[in-house]
Amino acid sequence: MVANITITNRTKSFAIRIIKACSFLDEASSVCRTLSKQLLRSGTSIGANVREAQSAQSEKDFINKLEIALKEARETQYWLEILIESELVDKQKFQLLLQEANEIGKILVASTKKLKYK
C-alpha cells in the first residue's frame, strides 16, 4: 500500500504554506492569533495523516487515515472561509490556500471512494 507521492508532496507543501500564513496571522489581532492556532493544527494535520497512511497495517487502516486527513482538510476549509468572510485577511492571499484545501479534499474523497469500492 504505497500512498500516492503526489498527494504526499502536495499536502506537505500545503502545510508549509499554512505555517507561513499562520506566522502572518500571529502578528495581527488576538482574534487572528486564536484562529491561527486552529488553522495551523488542522492544516498541518492533513499531510501528517496522509504520511501516516503510508505505514497502515491494512487497507482498512489506510482508508481510515485518509478519511481523517479529509476531515482535517474540511476543517481547514472552514477556518479559511471564516478568515476570508469575516474580512480579517486579504481575500486574494487566502483564496489560493482555500482553493488548494478544496483540491486536496477532492483528491482525498476520490481516493477513499476508489479504495472502498474496488
Side-chain angles (χ1 to χ4, degrees), residues 46 49-50 64-74 108:
I46 302 164
N49 281 290
V50 168
N64 184 51
K65 299 290 188 239
L66 291 184
E67 287 177 332
I68 293 169
L70 175 58
K71 288 178 184 180
E72 296 295 340
R74 288 186 173 148
L108 291 169

Side-chain angles (χ1 to χ4, degrees), residues 6-67:
T6 303
I7 190 66
T8 302
N9 291 339
R10 196 163 177 175
T11 55
K12 183 178 179 182
S13 294
F14 181 73
I16 291 166
R17 290 174 61 199
I18 287 290
I19 290 167
K20 290 178 181 179
C22 290
S23 292
F24 166 78
L25 290 172
D26 284 345
E27 296 173 7
S29 69
S30 64
V31 170
C32 284
R33 283 192 298 274
T34 301
L35 294 175
S36 171
K37 289 178 181 148
Q38 295 289 103
L39 178 62
L40 181 65
R41 188 199 55 74
S42 65
T44 57
S45 182
I46 302 164
N49 281 290
V50 168
R51 182 73 64 94
E52 192 174 334
Q54 292 175 320
S55 298
Q57 296 176 357
S58 65
E59 189 168 299
K60 184 178 178 182
D61 187 34
F62 183 80
I63 293 168
N64 184 51
K65 299 290 188 239
L66 291 184
E67 287 177 332

